[in-house]
Amino acid sequence: MKEQKIRIGLVGAGAIMHLAHAPTIVSSADAEIAGVFDIDMARASKLTEDFGGMPYNELERMLGEARLDAVIVATPNLFHEASVVSAAAHGLHVVCEKPLAIDVSSAARMVKACKDAGVVLQTGFNQRFWTQNRIAKELISSGFIGTIHQMRSLYSEKASAYPASTNFRYELEQSGGATIIDLTVHRIDIARYLIGDIAAVFAELEHSYLPEKVDDNVWLLLRFENGARGCLTSNRISPNVGDGTDVFGSEGTIHIATETINPYNAAPLQIYTEKSKSELPDILHEACYMDAWWKEFDGGWITLKPPRSNPFALQLEEFCTAIREGRDSAVSGVEGLKAQEVVQAGYMSFNRGNWVDLPLSEDAPFTIPKYS
């Protein structure tokens, strides 16, 4: 395994495979595409024509015949569990696109199946691998901006912006939810990554605009275990891509933009501090500008434009490294399960009209709200 490429089977041949996973594998020195499964043989064949591998329209046949080491699962959410559990039964390592499942009980079974089989399960939260998020994590963990008291994050885009190959995101039986489980779930994970575990959720989920009766207007209030408070919001209405994460600490502020640069998100990473230049960590030391060259930096905004690395390439690198080193991924299935709890708690909160405490039990009620 250390000398040869990791042979990966692609489960699903939709847009995310064409746009991200397949080209990333092809350009990787660590992995190669060995097979592609889709229930539509024409779609599987098209992906293999473009990127390599053998096409299949039967999952078990690919898992049994293609001499795989691992799979990437990117099907409609309802089918994630069956694909992951089957791959684990074949002893294959797994990347499962977010969300891990449609409910907590399914996600828990997926985590258990992979643990029992001794295989890596990595959740496809690619936004963790944006360089600006990783730098922000380092600054927060080191205490540079002090005690975190508040955070907020926005992630929005109109429904037609993403070039999806099917409409499953707006068919709640297959998706388990629309905006909250497709967009907001990314920022649920980033909130946990930057701030820590979430202790309670209050949700406002609305159908405001789309022809489908789904959640297209989402607000989540969060209580973190460390006492911080947070607000996450997403919509499928905004013509522009709405993006931005702010973290407010007792000694500074961090602003992050990953998806877009615009008049409100003028740089990928901005830090406000009252510390002097001698107190800055190395990552910030050469990035601060003064009013005049002869003056010393004594606080203010610092703007960073780190290299725009491909988060899917870094995600694949982490997966392959975890396999080779025989360890859990940094974005394990447990991370996906904990994000799933927040989504399900959001449904429970909206249905009941109150705060819902975490963690949830595996048999917590799962009911998608009815939208007018």
Side-chain angles (χ1 to χ4, degrees):
M1 181 70 73
K2 291 183 179 179
E3 302 299 329
Q4 62 191 26
K5 288 189 174 184
I6 294 171
R7 292 173 58 82
I8 296 179
L10 303 182
V11 181
I16 194 67
M17 291 300 196
H18 281 273
L19 294 171
H21 293 298
T24 297
I25 295 170
V26 168
S27 63
S28 169
D30 288 322
E32 63 184 5
I33 298 172
V36 176
F37 159 75
D38 196 281
I39 59 172
D40 184 336
M41 191 63 163
R43 293 203 307 178
S45 297
K46 179 64 171 72
L47 197 62
T48 61
E49 289 170 10
D50 292 343
F51 299 103
M54 289 291 295
Y56 297 87
N57 62 358
E58 297 176 20
L59 178 60
E60 284 298 319
R61 187 177 169 200
M62 183 182 76
L63 298 181
E65 293 183 2
R67 298 184 295 111
L68 302 176
D69 302 304
V71 298
I72 295 177
V73 176
T75 62
N77 306 335
L78 177 64
F79 308 111
H80 284 185
E81 180 185 357
S83 299
V84 170
V85 170
S86 185
H90 283 266
L92 303 178
H93 305 285
V94 182
V95 170
C96 183
E97 263 296 344
K98 60 79 196 169
L100 201 57
I102 65 170
D103 59 27
V104 167
S105 60
S106 295
R109 288 191 294 268
M110 294 161 69
V111 170
K112 183 178 186 302
C114 290
K115 181 178 180 181
D116 290 348
V119 298
V120 173
L121 173 58
Q122 178 170 305
T123 308
F125 283 129
N126 71 83
Q127 292 191 7
R128 281 209 193 189
F129 293 92
W130 283 98
T131 306
Q132 50 268 56
N133 283 333
R134 300 173 98 173
I135 294 172
K137 173 66 173 176
E138 291 178 14
L139 293 173
I140 292 167
S141 296
S142 70
F144 180 73
I145 65 166
T147 302
I148 307 303
H149 292 283
Q150 188 184 91
M151 68 85 60
R152 64 184 180 186
S153 190
L154 162 69
Y155 186 28
S156 300
E157 64 184 30
K158 65 180 179 180
S160 60
Y162 180 70
S165 55
T166 72
N167 200 47
F168 87 86
R169 287 169 177 80
Y170 308 104
E171 298 173 3
L172 299 184
E173 296 79 10
Q174 291 194 57
S175 64
T179 305
I180 187 175
I181 211 167
D182 193 45
L183 294 183
T184 322
V185 73
H186 272 299
R187 299 311 167 86
I188 291 169
D189 181 65
I190 290 301
R192 291 191 58 257
Y193 175 58
L194 295 178
I195 313 300
D197 280 330
I198 296 166
V201 181
F202 185 89
E204 178 76 352
L205 309 174
E206 288 298 330
H207 168 246
S208 299
Y209 176 76
L210 294 179
E212 299 90 352
K213 297 293 180 67
V214 299
D215 54 298
D216 58 12
N217 191 351
V218 174
W219 292 83
L220 298 183
L221 296 180
L222 309 176
R223 294 176 185 158
F224 292 88
E225 287 187 358
N226 60 16
R229 298 294 190 267
C231 175
L232 310 180
T233 181
S234 300
N235 70 66
R236 282 293 192 182
I237 301 161
S238 175
N240 69 299
V241 176
D243 175 44
T245 298
D246 296 297
V247 180
F248 301 94
S250 58
E251 298 179 37
T253 300
I254 295 176
H255 175 78
I256 308 162
T258 54
E259 304 304 304
T260 183
I261 298 299
N262 60 51
Y264 300 98
N265 304 308
L269 185 62
Q270 294 173 300
I271 298 95
Y272 185 85
T273 180
E274 295 180 339
K275 294 183 168 79
S276 65
K277 187 171 183 178
S278 64
E279 299 173 282
L280 300 180
D282 290 344
I283 192 70
L284 302 182
H285 211 262
E286 301 303 322
C288 54
Y289 280 77
M290 288 65 74
D291 293 336
W293 66 265
W294 59 87
K295 294 183 179 180
E296 280 293 319
F297 180 83
D298 61 356
W301 284 101
I302 301 173
T303 297
L304 278 79
K305 293 187 176 181
R308 194 179 187 277
S309 301
N310 179 352
F312 286 93
L314 295 174
Q315 175 179 260
L316 178 64
E317 179 183 323
E318 167 61 18
F319 181 53
C320 294
T321 302
I323 292 172
R324 296 186 194 281
E325 295 181 354
R327 59 168 174 82
D328 287 339
S329 166
V331 195
S332 68
V334 172
E335 302 298 300
L337 171 58
K338 290 189 174 184
Q340 198 81 45
E341 287 182 327
V342 178
V343 172
Q344 190 161 326
Y347 293 150
M348 294 168 66
S349 170
F350 181 68
N351 287 331
R352 298 174 181 178
N354 59 9
W355 284 86
V356 174
D357 293 332
L358 298 176
L360 297 180
S361 63
E362 291 182 16
D363 61 353
F366 172 71
T367 305
I368 301 172
K370 300 293 184 182
Y371 304 102
S372 59

